[in-house]
Amino acid sequence: MVQKVISDIESEIGKPYQQLESIINEHVLQIPSEDLRQVVKVLTQKHGYNHLSTITAQITKEDPDYIEVLYHFWKGSGFTLLLRLEKENPVIDSIIDFIPGVDFYEREVAEMYGVHFNLRDGTPPLLLPDDWTEGPPMLTSEKE
Amino acid sequence: MIFQLLFYLIVFPGLIFQFLSAWVFEWFDRKMIARFQRRVGPRWFQPLADWIKLLSKENILPKGSNEGVLTLLPIISLCSVVTAGIYVPVAGFNYFSFEGDLIVILFLLSVPTLAYYLAGIASIGIYSVLGGSRSILQFFSYEVPLLLALSGPAILAGSWSIQNITSSQIVKGPFIIFQPLGFILAVVGLIGKLNRDPLDIPKAKSEVIAGSLTEFTGIKLAFWHLVMNIQAVVGIFLLINLYLSWSISITPLLSILIFVIESLLMIVILSVISAIFSRIRIDQLADIGWRILVPLALLQLFVVILM
Amino acid sequence: MEKITIPIGPQHPLLKEPLSLLIDIMGENVLGGDLRLGYVHRGIEKLAQTRNYVQNVPLIERVCGICSHVHTTTYCYAVEKLLGIEIPARAQYIRALMCELERIHSHLLWLGILCKHIGLDTIFMHTWHNREMVLDIMEELSGGRVSHAANKIGGVRFDLDQDHGPMVVSILNKLRVEIDKLRDVVMYEPTIRARTQGVAPLSPEEIRQFGVVGPVARASGVDVDFRRDDPLPPYDQLKFSVVTNQAGDAWARTLVRVEEIEESMKICGQILQDLPDGSVEIRASRRVPAGQVVVRAEAPRGELIYFLRSDGSDSPARLKIRTPSLTALSILPKQLSEIQVADIPVVIAGVDLCIACADR
């Protein structure tokens, strides 16, 4: 069922994507960050994956020069899109015109990890105060 | 002579008597509502304790407001409400009555409403202004049915003096029998005038915090509380005199007892209505006020005129 | 008439927790609102990375006061999935029992708050009195009224003995009588209906676009309940129905939550009847093997999702929590743009905000 969705996505966009087994309970598809909008369009409009649970961003110990951004969709079972952005200049397209509810998730990723979202009117801070000057909190290391 | 006058003005039925009645009213009301809500309720001295506590609080003024105006408004309201109370007969005792005193009382009882509105505007803060404008909007919806309902007994008795209305009831019987609809409308109007649930739109805690009185503190707020409570007491006494008095000619002790019992009954009615209804919206109030209450009041008046 | 801006918050009688809403009004019409979160942000996701898995359980419990148990349940399930262990059936049932009791007390709390804000203090007092019965059960079982510390990695911290089952059943029976009376009042009392019917309706399309979950979504006809659709054990063995309503306004949201209290009481009855024997915990190692997991659960307010990543040490490498209150907040400015000032409390109370959850 999910395989059908994945092969449909691949045929729509025209290139093969890598499926990972890295998350228990979820089907994971790794896509390059430029293809995000097209893939989300196919997922939501053609296959009815309307529910985006959240967007997670993380930096892994194995790959400290990349920020991984995970888009968790759900329709009967979980489906995650995995993107890797360069830590020095993390830029990604916003999908707020498809899914208006993604506003808060993108704002949180932007302020916590310093990711810049194109195609939207800036990302005002969500949880941090307006006069926060110390940079994205999740990128700083602990002061022991 | 002058001592007698001072006694009437200050002790009974003047300031001290009204203060004590307001205390009893507030305690009984709060206790009844608490028992409806499965709570215990306050002890008998709680309203006095709250009032004394308010007197000792700090006086804070919003920036840009006029201290003279804000201090004068509760004082003027208190004066008009106490003056109105002097003219309302209590258990048949009436020294100051004259022809037309009903109209004077109704006018005097409107002064606190206007002062409440002005207090909201003069406090400048957003919640005060909103509360004040809502109180005037509410005024337009309940005042006309109230005035019409309170005119019914005057027409039936053929006089605008409360003394004559009460003596007329001794002959004809309590007016509530002839105009039950008028009584109900008068109770609804009284709830609106006192800003009680379900018509406490001007001071809805979750929308405008405390309405006009948001920025008042200390002695001024204590005076406002006193004004509200004495207004309630005067309103209740007025309704009893206009609709429920029939026992003045019996022995004075019995008439006092009946008066007290009727007052407590009125407080029970007001508390029950407060406990069981939620607040209605201002547009729903305007709708009900002009579409239902005013026609009913006119109908009642028409019936009374025909009688 | 000019436009004025009223600030709701950070401190306001309407809000249990601080939130900043700047609402523009003109006369009695509301034009729109501007939302600002973060007043209760404690940085729990970052803090979780500095503590080990066992120390994180009390930390996660303090994300929210009202739905604390479901947070620790989801977290413990996530860690147990990474460890590859399955907890005994009795522990699963006890976890579900506490989850359902929490749902009952959360909905009763919400009903009281809604009625308080529309001016009906009497129902507020009565519902919170009934809520005390549920809190008494939770105190008997776990020792705490609001923070139970019921979960630990590998099971639950306490067990039910022979007296607890009948005690819980008898209190729930008494509560059922009270809830029936309350339901009749809420459904047939004219002023509650007059204040909530037709206020701020949401269509299923808007629900989908904004990703709203929980009773708010179910009140607009969107039939999603993660206890049925993505169940954590033992919900796959329990029979219950999902309550939906088609109207989508504040009245529908009230009805959905009141019916859900009924359903939760039925589930509690089933749990106590089918409670399997056995131990309530299993030994879990402190070091969690490397891996990533996503767990979803149905909190009283909707879908709760946890993403947990472990790198083989005894601290999480990344813990991401998304609470359902965040989705309700994202649709709040839109709901505020078509109503009157007197409906503001109904709308804000109707989406059942738990801002501590949203801010973490």
Side-chain angles (χ1 to χ4, degrees), chain C residues 77-276:
Chain C
Y77 271 127
V79 177
E80 286 150 12
K81 279 210 165 59
L82 284 180
L83 284 171
I85 60 176
E86 194 175 307
I87 61 175
R90 190 177 175 88
Q92 291 172 352
Y93 273 72
I94 294 180
R95 275 186 187 173
L97 176 68
M98 298 295 286
C99 272
E100 292 308 311
L101 287 173
E102 198 173 60
R103 195 180 314 270
I104 296 175
H105 109 73
S106 170
H107 285 328
L108 279 175
L109 183 150
W110 169 83
L111 187 63
I113 300 271
L114 176 75
C115 290
K116 180 181 192 332
H117 289 321
I118 63 177
L120 201 49
D121 272 348
T122 312
I123 296 191
F124 165 58
M125 298 288 173
H126 281 263
T127 40
W128 279 49
H129 185 98
N130 296 335
R131 181 176 161 248
E132 289 298 318
M133 289 193 226
V134 179
L135 293 178
D136 282 342
I137 298 179
M138 299 221 257
E139 192 181 7
E140 263 306 310
L141 295 178
S142 72
R145 275 162 38 113
V146 179
S147 52
H148 329 295
N151 284 330
K152 57 191 221 188
I153 302 183
V156 291
R157 187 178 52 86
F158 55 83
D159 196 358
L160 267 58
D161 60 15
Q162 298 121 309
D163 305 325
H164 282 144
M167 184 256 323
V168 175
V169 168
S170 78
I171 295 185
L172 283 181
N173 283 338
K174 269 190 260 173
L175 186 64
R176 178 166 291 133
V177 173
E178 301 286 337
I179 299 288
D180 279 340
K181 278 191 240 168
L182 218 60
R183 189 172 46 176
D184 283 338
V185 169
V186 167
M187 281 184 64
Y188 298 116
E189 214 267 336
T191 47
I192 296 184
R193 196 181 256 215
R195 285 297 296 268
T196 55
Q197 205 161 24
V199 170
L202 288 175
S203 66
E205 196 44 53
E206 287 165 342
I207 298 278
R208 268 188 272 271
Q209 280 185 341
F210 283 85
V212 182
V213 291
V216 180
R218 291 198 278 277
S220 295
V222 175
D223 187 10
V224 170
D225 185 333
F226 282 85
R227 290 175 293 172
R228 178 198 59 193
D229 301 331
D230 195 1
L232 294 173
Y235 283 105
D236 40 358
Q237 294 154 26
L238 296 171
K239 289 197 219 359
F240 58 95
S241 45
V242 173
V243 181
T244 57
N245 194 310
Q246 301 303 318
D249 54 7
W251 171 239
R253 287 174 224 142
T254 313
L255 288 176
V256 164
R257 287 191 177 106
V258 171
E259 296 290 327
E260 279 190 2
I261 300 180
E262 269 295 323
E263 287 296 319
S264 288
M265 286 202 281
K266 280 190 215 151
I267 298 179
C268 285
Q270 278 181 48
I271 292 178
L272 289 166
Q273 216 174 343
D274 302 341
L275 192 63

Side-chain angles (χ1 to χ4, degrees), chain B residues 33 36-39 126-127 129-130 134 137 197 205-209 274-284, chain C residues 5-7 12-14 25 28 117-122 125-126 129-130 178 189 191 194-195 340-343 345:
Chain B
I33 293 184
F36 272 117
Q37 295 175 350
R38 263 170 148 169
R39 295 183 287 128
I126 290 230
Y127 296 116
V129 170
L130 260 176
R134 280 169 153 211
L137 279 173
D197 216 344
K205 201 186 290 191
S206 43
E207 297 155 34
V208 288
I209 318 275
S274 280
I276 62 179
F277 286 120
S278 75
R279 196 178 303 136
I280 67 177
R281 273 205 314 253
I282 192 90
D283 59 320
Q284 291 167 340
Chain C
T5 307
I6 37 175
H12 196 273
L14 260 181
I25 62 173
E28 283 280 327
H117 289 321
I118 63 177
L120 201 49
D121 272 348
T122 312
M125 298 288 173
H126 281 263
H129 185 98
N130 296 335
E178 301 286 337
E189 214 267 336
T191 47
R195 285 297 296 268
Q340 300 207 336
V341 173
D343 293 327

